Amino acid sequence: MSAVALAAARRWWPLALGVLLGVLVGLLVSLLASGVRRAQASVLISSPAGPGAVTPVLPNLRELAASGVVAGNVRSTLRLTKSTGELLRQLHATVRPQSQVIAISGSDKVADHARQIAQEAAVVFAQLVDVRFGTAKPSLQAAVLDPAHVFGGPDRHFIRNGLVGALVGLLLGSAAMFLLASGDRNVAAVGGDEESLRERERLLEQRLQGVAARERALADRAGKLSVREQKLEARAAEVTAAESRSSPQPEPEPEPKLEPEQQPEPLSQPEAEAGPAVPTQAGTWNLHGLQKAVEAYMGATPEQAESWQTYLYFLRQHASPDGSLPRSFDPLISDVFGDVLERFP
């Protein structure tokens, strides 16, 4: 069987099943229908005054034919064991259209019993009409026109019940098919939503992992920057200490002496005191040469290059106009710029 046929069978099976079940239920109802038989007798109502005197009282006479009085007399005459109420439910009376005939019918599971009930009810009814309305004005007479006869066997209406069942099954199957189709669409929609949700969760997990990796990288970077800052601070402290060692401490000003004003101090003494404030000996290295050597050095890491630029910035504050540096910085320069000085002596 092809995939198309399988898909069609999967889709239309509720409809076919509903029709089949409906037909089966209709046939079952027909088979289980009551097998009650019915017989009918006809009573003619007449009057010397003509049909005009009979027609107005026909509804009342019909009620009399199906009353408890007739049922009680029939039960007594036929010596039936059932009660008057039960027998009354088996009696029916109707007025035939455009006539003066009242049809009295009786029903029972046995056809002969139904005929006897209908015949006896017609006789009792005719007698009651003669007794009650025979002396009235206008007078009425009743006579059994057609003796009771049994109708044909019970019609179980197999075709009608089968068609009705098929129609009901068709409606129910259509409703079931619609519900199942809606459920499939909902399941498909839910499945699509779950797939989309899983995809979003996966993307979110990737983003979280990326953010965590960036945070770790930033934390590592911050740690390195902190270490570098500490090193720079230590180097700056070393430069400051070297500067303080290279610069002589100023001598304390002498206390003023109480001497006569006519004895001035010799002019050569201030010059001798101011001389040590300026470095008298230049160091081995020149700031401009160090700058060029650092720029020409190609194998430095970013951390080394940044450290060298920092030291050059601090050394620039202590260099002379021609770039010479004090001799006290020679050990620091040899320690910091050792790699550069080995390549560019």
Side-chain angles (χ1 to χ4, degrees):
M1 185 179 291
S2 64
V4 177
L6 288 175
R10 193 183 306 109
R11 180 179 180 184
W12 294 98
W13 72 264
L15 189 64
L17 181 61
V19 173
L20 180 60
L21 291 178
V23 172
L24 293 177
V25 171
L27 296 177
L28 186 62
V29 169
S30 298
L31 291 174
L32 298 178
S34 176
V36 175
R37 308 298 297 275
R38 190 164 63 92
Q40 188 179 76
S42 302
V43 178
L44 175 63
I45 308 299
S46 61
S47 175
V54 177
T55 303
V57 297
L58 286 177
N60 297 331
L61 295 177
R62 182 189 62 79
E63 293 181 1
L64 177 62
S67 64
V69 176
V70 175
N73 283 278
V74 172
R75 174 176 176 275
S76 177
T77 303
L78 297 178
R79 298 180 180 180
L80 301 176
T81 57
K82 59 185 67 177
S83 64
T84 302
E86 293 176 351
L87 182 60
L88 187 60
R89 287 192 292 271
Q90 295 178 245
L91 288 176
H92 304 280
T94 57
V95 178
R96 292 181 179 176
Q98 305 297 326
S99 68
Q100 300 172 221
V101 177
I102 294 178
I104 301 175
S105 60
S107 58
D108 196 275
K109 294 182 179 180
V110 181
D112 189 55
H113 292 174
R115 184 186 60 77
Q116 291 177 1
I117 291 172
Q119 182 63 31
E120 187 62 28
V123 172
V124 171
F125 172 66
Q127 293 174 354
L128 287 175
V129 171
D130 290 340
V131 171
R132 294 189 178 187
F133 301 97
T135 58
K137 292 183 180 180
S139 61
L140 300 177
Q141 290 84 32
V144 177
L145 179 64
D146 187 12
H149 59 279
V150 179
F151 292 134
D155 188 1
R156 299 184 183 274
H157 304 288
F158 288 101
I159 297 177
R160 184 194 66 184
N161 293 341
L163 292 176
V164 172
L167 179 60
V168 174
L170 178 64
L171 296 176
L172 295 177
S174 300
M177 183 177 65
F178 175 76
L179 293 176
L180 291 176
S182 301
D184 292 340
R185 286 194 296 269
N186 293 334
V187 170
V190 170
D193 293 341
E194 291 180 353
E195 184 66 24
S196 177
L197 182 59
R198 286 194 294 270
E199 181 65 19
R200 292 180 181 178
E201 290 178 351
R202 185 181 63 80
L203 294 176
L204 181 59
E205 184 67 23
Q206 290 180 354
R207 291 180 181 177
L208 290 176
Q209 293 177 357
V211 171
R214 286 195 294 270
E215 289 180 351
R216 289 193 296 269
L218 290 176
D220 295 341
R221 181 67 175 174
K224 292 180 180 179
L225 290 177
S226 178
V227 172
R228 288 170 57 188
E229 288 178 355
Q230 293 176 0
K231 290 181 178 180
L232 290 177
E233 291 178 356
R235 292 295 186 183
E238 292 178 1
V239 171
T240 304
E243 180 182 358
S244 63
R245 288 193 302 269
S246 63
S247 299
Q249 296 293 331
E251 295 181 0
E253 296 181 1
E255 296 182 358
K257 297 179 180 181
L258 299 177
E259 294 180 357
E261 295 182 0
Q262 64 273 13
Q263 294 180 1
E265 295 179 359
L267 296 175
S268 60
Q269 184 176 355
E271 294 178 359
E273 293 179 357
V278 178
T280 58
Q281 294 182 355
T284 306
W285 312 110
N286 187 278
L287 178 65
H288 302 308
L290 288 175
Q291 182 73 38
K292 293 179 180 179
V294 169
E295 293 177 355
Y297 190 80
M298 302 300 294
T301 63
E303 290 78 5
Q304 285 179 327
E306 186 176 355
S307 177
W308 291 341
Q309 293 296 333
T310 302
Y311 277 103
L312 289 175
Y313 173 77
F314 285 111
L315 292 174
R316 191 175 289 111
Q317 300 177 6
H318 304 280
S320 62
D322 60 351
S324 60
L325 296 169
R327 185 177 298 277
S328 60
F329 288 99
D330 288 351
L332 176 64
I333 294 173
S334 299
D335 182 24
V336 174
F337 297 94
D339 295 339
V340 178
L341 298 177
E342 289 178 2
R343 185 172 297 184
F344 302 98

